[in-house]
Amino acid sequence: MQTTAETFVTTSKSLQQQVAEAIEDRALPISRLLRLMWALDADRSAANQNLRAQLRARIGAPLSA
């Protein structure tokens, strides 16, 4: 049984593409956003720091925003 980020975030798109789309999609469930955040945290790449900040802002944004 895998317990890595790839278990939860599997697609042909890069993690960066998935996060960018998630930030724009206001109908995406919070569970999906949290999985993406977990995958970003698991990656630990310095390049993902900006993506983490954007995703955190999206998770905390009101639904009407």
Side-chain angles (χ1 to χ4, degrees):
M1 180 176 176
Q2 281 184 318
T3 58
T4 63
E6 292 81 22
T7 303
F8 298 105
V9 183
T10 56
T11 184
S12 61
K13 297 177 185 176
S14 72
L15 183 57
Q16 292 77 12
Q17 289 173 317
Q18 292 178 64
V19 171
E21 289 176 4
I23 291 168
E24 296 297 321
D25 185 359
R26 294 294 176 193
L28 203 64
I30 189 74
S31 60
R32 178 76 172 133
L33 296 172
L34 293 173
R35 285 185 193 117
L36 287 169
M37 181 62 78
W38 186 74
L40 281 174
D41 287 343
D43 189 0
R44 293 287 188 205
S45 172
N48 290 337
Q49 191 66 15
N50 189 35
L51 288 174
R52 282 187 199 94
Q54 291 176 2
L55 192 54
R56 280 189 191 111
R58 166 59 183 90
I59 290 170
L63 292 177
S64 60

